[in-house]
Amino acid sequence: SIGRMGYGEPTHNYFAQPSFFYSKLSAVVRLSWQEKKVNLFCRRYHVYSHLPVLFIGGEIGSYQLDNRDRYDVYGKLNIMLRHNQPLGAGGELNYMLEAGLVLGAVPYPLLNIFDGNQSYAYDPYRFTLMHNYQFAADQYILLHLDWNGQGCLFNLIPGLRVLRLRELVSFKLAYGGLSGKHNDLLAFPDSRLQDLSTPYVEVGVGIGNILRIADLMSVWRVTHRDDPGAPRWSMRFRFHIDT
């Protein structure tokens, strides 16, 4: 892919802001074992596996800053493990573990920018109380854990069994390093882009399968609670059918 990116205050002339041109080539390899698949209309759909699924990704690209005549080269590597682990009477545990590395100095938009979530919807693979473009890293590790109790506790309460409610618990962690060499290429916007030398952690508890269509989550920040303008707690929902 090829693109052009420029960043500045929205009240300024866009084309007067520092910018860069970039191009990249990326690929992802997906490895799974004993997985059920469905081939439909020349496309393969992955249905289920009781074993982990491994993703290995790589990217190589080049960029040119407005104030330079040459192109500089960079690379990215990442590995991700996803697994939905049944726990018998204890429900199921869904987890995602990812690690990545940026090779070379790059303008900050090409760093790994951690995915925040400033909507009212709950997303299991985004950080619920993190703002977009709040944290970045050139080497990082992510962990997302979601436990669904499948009613193992609610079903013990008389009268609740018929509602088929689910117990939900989430844990999310991000940790990484950020070198100052990237800031020398293109200055970080208003010093709002932070590193994660202190891990970012948030936890949540909730009720699932409400009216058979929705989940409700209550989420807290455990670390970085004093960041300006950052919420320490929030309620989020999602539409989700739990069989």
Side-chain angles (χ1 to χ4, degrees):
S1 63
I2 301 175
R4 182 182 191 277
M5 304 189 76
Y7 292 82
E9 294 299 328
T11 55
H12 291 179
N13 183 351
Y14 176 88
F15 294 99
Q17 305 307 318
S19 61
F20 65 95
F21 296 88
Y22 71 99
S23 60
K24 67 177 182 178
L25 177 66
S26 59
V28 178
V29 177
R30 185 182 190 277
L31 301 175
S32 62
W33 297 267
Q34 301 180 21
E35 185 176 48
K36 294 182 180 180
K37 307 176 183 68
V38 175
N39 293 314
L40 187 63
F41 300 111
C42 301
R43 184 172 180 178
R44 175 174 292 179
Y45 295 88
H46 303 276
V47 180
Y48 174 77
S49 175
H50 66 281
L51 297 175
V53 178
L54 182 66
F55 299 83
I56 302 174
E59 176 180 319
I60 184 170
S62 63
Y63 63 87
Q64 182 186 33
L65 297 173
D66 277 351
N67 58 356
R68 293 187 182 183
D69 295 329
R70 72 175 189 274
Y71 278 86
D72 294 288
V73 179
Y74 73 94
K76 292 184 180 181
L77 297 172
N78 77 294
I79 184 169
M80 179 172 63
L81 187 69
R82 286 190 179 183
H83 191 199
N84 189 2
Q85 175 63 58
L87 301 177
E92 63 182 19
L93 179 68
N94 183 283
Y95 68 85
M96 186 272 281
L97 179 64
E98 180 181 352
L101 176 67
V102 177
L103 304 172
V106 296
Y108 72 85
L110 296 180
L111 294 168
N112 179 74
I113 308 295
F114 295 94
D115 293 324
N117 183 6
Q118 294 176 257
S119 72
Y120 293 105
Y122 178 77
D123 188 328
Y125 297 115
R126 300 179 75 93
F127 290 94
T128 305
L129 303 180
M130 181 187 293
H131 291 163
N132 292 319
Y133 272 86
Q134 183 177 359
F135 298 103
D138 52 21
Q139 48 186 328
Y140 67 93
I141 185 169
L142 301 176
L143 176 63
H144 294 273
L145 292 173
D146 283 280
W147 175 69
N148 186 327
Q150 297 290 334
C152 65
L153 299 178
F154 285 138
N155 289 346
L156 300 177
I157 303 175
L160 287 185
R161 185 181 183 89
V162 68
L163 299 178
R164 297 181 62 184
L165 298 176
R166 308 300 194 214
E167 309 84 357
L168 304 177
V169 177
S170 70
F171 175 87
K172 301 182 180 185
L173 177 145
Y175 175 63
L178 180 61
S179 171
K181 62 185 179 183
H182 310 291
N183 194 44
D184 297 334
L185 294 174
L186 191 62
F188 296 163
D190 299 334
S191 301
R192 288 175 294 184
L193 206 61
Q194 306 172 45
D195 67 13
L196 277 173
S197 53
T198 299
Y200 175 92
V201 178
E202 61 183 42
V203 297
V205 295
I207 300 175
N209 207 37
I210 300 171
L211 301 177
R212 311 292 173 87
I213 60 169
D215 299 342
L216 184 64
M217 293 291 296
S218 178
V219 184
W220 292 265
R221 272 193 182 216
V222 178
T223 62
H224 296 270
R225 293 174 57 84
D226 296 326
D227 289 345
R232 297 184 178 183
W233 169 84
S234 181
M235 296 288 292
R236 301 294 173 92
F237 76 95
R238 67 170 174 168
F239 292 108
H240 177 236
I241 297 176
D242 191 337
T243 57

